[in-house]
Amino acid sequence: MTSILLEDRVVTTVTKAKAARPHVEKLITLGKRDTLQSRRQAAAYIMTPGVTKKLFSEIAPKFADRAGGYTRIISAGIRVGDGAKVAILELVGYEYKTKEKKEKPKKEEPAEAAS
């Protein structure tokens, strides 16, 4: 749960994603309340104090007008090593940032050998 709140997107098995989803949504609902008690309840589940701060300052305000359904599970195929079904668990509204490809400088062809 800490990883999904920290990174907004996690690749894991389908079973783990389905198990973590209700807990993450409950934490976001606690974040929307923003009381001392809700902060303490969230801190009991989240391993890092910085992530708790991020939940209440950044993540919960994004979902202030949303009644539920803060996460989505996307099927990602099968893992090569053990054949487990893999899924992506991400927060709704997450924008995947692609890395820009560097253009390789074209190699200049050597000048023709002088005859």
Side-chain angles (χ1 to χ4, degrees):
M1 291 184 301
T2 302
S3 297
I4 183 69
L5 295 174
L6 179 64
E7 301 174 13
D8 298 335
R9 179 183 174 123
V10 174
V11 178
T12 184
T13 62
V14 173
T15 308
K16 285 183 183 179
K18 287 182 179 180
R21 184 180 198 172
H23 296 290
V24 171
E25 294 201 5
K26 183 176 180 179
L27 286 175
I28 294 173
T29 303
L30 286 173
K32 287 170 57 175
R33 285 192 220 149
D34 199 14
T35 62
L36 179 61
Q37 180 63 24
S38 63
R39 283 182 182 266
R40 286 180 177 167
Q41 287 176 336
Y45 283 99
I46 299 173
M47 301 297 169
T48 310
V51 176
T52 305
K53 192 172 190 178
K54 180 180 177 183
L55 171 66
F56 286 92
S57 64
E58 297 175 20
I59 297 172
K62 284 196 310 190
F63 297 114
D65 58 339
R66 193 174 181 103
Y70 312 118
T71 59
R72 73 170 65 103
I73 297 175
I74 303 168
S75 179
I78 297 175
R79 189 162 51 197
V80 176
D82 60 353
K85 293 182 181 177
V86 178
I88 299 170
L89 176 64
E90 67 181 9
L91 297 176
V92 172
Y94 173 78
E95 294 180 16
Y96 184 70
K97 298 174 186 172
T98 57
K99 295 180 182 178
E100 294 182 15
K101 294 183 179 179
K102 295 180 182 178
E103 292 183 21
K104 295 181 181 178
K106 294 182 179 178
K107 294 182 181 178
E108 295 179 15
E109 293 185 22
E112 291 183 29
S115 350

